[in-house]
Amino acid sequence: MLKINNHLLEGEKTAFITSPNKSGKFIQGLPDTLIIHFTAGPSALSAINTFTNPAYQVSAHLVVDYDGSVTQLVPFDEIAWHAGVSSWGGRTGFNKYSIGIEIVNPGNLTKVGNEYQAWYGTKYPAAKVIKAVNRNETKTRFWHIFSPDEIEKAMELCRLLTDTYNIKYILGHEEIAPQRKLDPGPAFPLNRLRDRILNGRKDNGNDGTLPVIGKVIATKLNIRELADTQSAKVAKALVNGTQVEIFDSKNGWYKVAVKVTGWVSGKYIEIEN
Ligand SMILES: [Zn+2]
């Protein structure tokens, strides 16, 4: 279990590496906001190197890795440099109001043949990718999925920070800098995370996981036992507009829950987070 002692995170799979990229303590009553980011990079190490290098003038309080391990770079009572030019709810410059949580993820990807390429050149397989629309845009893009450990850890951290500090808002970087930023993007279940933590809502019977929400866009969509067109159907075909919770992805299929659990072709699901 994670805890916070003297503004530092403690617990299994946590580390502290100090960053020089910070600007003193928050004023009384702050921080009151958590900002969620993706790193748009290949690894936690590359993010930590950037966020601790004085030449880059950027940082965050936390970096969450694929396996759920967390590195803190700035104590929670000090101002880190993750928000940049930003405004929301009548306030500007969110570094002075917020704790920044960076989650390791390549960000949006470009299709190259059968693979999906990040800006830094690495190619990822289709099984790691979803096609979805960012809340600030209207066109679809390809996005790398977040690991279940990352989503679970992000939720645990947001809950702990909300309980420890006077947190009123949980926002995506894309919401406070909509002209510049696309993170954490539609592969991250941001709406549901803040509903759960700030509004105390529970998802039906799936505590601990935070599924992405999708909608059936085919007229009828078969739901099968396995991610294979030859596999047995587990229920009547899903009809257009049916909302599903997506728990897993494999070879272009999503594992979804409606009243039953089964696999459907990802081509016919639109992500709704
Ligand atoms: Zn960001």
Side-chain angles (χ1 to χ4, degrees):
M1 233 190 44
L2 299 178
K3 57 180 187 172
I4 293 170
N5 190 11
N6 198 22
H7 309 291
L8 297 177
L9 191 65
E10 289 180 353
E12 225 183 298
K13 296 204 287 184
T14 63
F16 182 78
I17 300 173
T18 192
S19 171
N21 300 337
K22 58 187 179 183
S23 45
K25 302 233 176 193
F26 288 106
I27 65 164
Q28 186 80 36
L30 297 174
D32 66 3
T33 303
L34 306 178
I35 303 292
I36 310 291
H37 303 259
F38 60 49
T39 58
S43 66
L45 186 63
S46 68
I48 292 162
N49 286 342
T50 299
F51 294 147
T52 53
N53 185 336
Y56 289 112
Q57 306 233 320
V58 290
S59 63
H61 293 87
L62 300 173
V63 175
V64 181
D65 203 354
Y66 287 118
D67 68 353
S69 59
V70 188
T71 304
Q72 184 172 5
L73 306 173
V74 175
F76 297 126
D77 61 339
E78 294 183 53
I79 296 169
W81 301 343
H82 55 97
V85 175
S86 47
S87 65
W88 188 88
R91 300 195 298 189
T92 60
F94 264 74
N95 285 338
K96 61 183 176 288
Y97 301 114
S98 64
I99 290 170
I101 302 172
E102 291 271 357
I103 306 174
V104 176
N105 182 284
N108 61 283
L109 307 168
T110 306
K111 192 163 194 224
V112 179
N114 291 326
E115 294 182 301
Y116 298 84
Q117 189 168 25
W119 66 270
Y120 46 86
T122 303
K123 289 178 183 157
Y124 298 94
K128 297 284 182 193
V129 177
I130 64 163
K131 190 164 105 177
V133 182
N134 183 281
R135 73 180 74 230
N136 300 328
E137 301 186 314
T138 51
K139 63 168 183 169
T140 55
R141 292 177 186 260
F142 298 105
W143 308 84
H144 196 288
I145 58 171
F146 291 84
S147 76
D149 283 341
E150 286 181 310
I151 293 173
E152 213 170 293
K153 191 61 63 158
M155 189 165 68
E156 189 182 352
L157 288 166
C158 287
R159 181 159 282 152
L160 177 64
L161 289 163
T162 299
D163 288 348
T164 307
Y165 299 97
N166 184 32
I167 302 299
K168 296 192 185 79
Y169 313 104
I170 301 174
L171 300 168
H173 202 188
E174 68 198 33
E175 294 174 297
I176 61 164
Q179 289 81 21
R180 301 187 298 121
K181 293 291 176 180
L182 295 172
D183 63 312
F188 188 82
L190 179 61
N191 293 347
R192 324 214 48 228
L193 177 140
R194 76 177 140 220
D195 264 4
R196 241 201 218 189
I197 290 166
L198 298 178
N199 305 329
R201 272 213 238 143
K202 279 244 188 291
D203 292 306
N204 288 341
N206 289 300
D207 217 24
T209 59
L210 201 60
V212 167
I213 297 294
K215 186 178 74 181
V216 174
I217 55 172
T219 311
K220 281 192 169 176
L221 179 59
N222 290 320
I223 178 164
R224 300 179 186 277
E225 201 176 306
L226 301 169
D228 187 313
T229 53
Q230 302 304 310
S231 172
K233 295 173 192 170
V234 296
K236 269 197 336 198
L238 307 178
V239 299
N240 188 281
T242 304
Q243 218 182 43
V244 295
E245 296 187 343
I246 302 172
F247 292 95
D248 200 357
S249 115
K250 180 161 82 179
N251 304 328
W253 292 68
Y254 293 139
K255 187 178 190 183
V256 303
V258 256
K259 280 180 185 144
V260 295
T261 300
W263 291 86
V264 299
S265 171
K267 269 190 294 197
Y268 303 110
I269 293 288
E270 191 174 272
I271 305 294
E272 288 204 320
N273 277 304

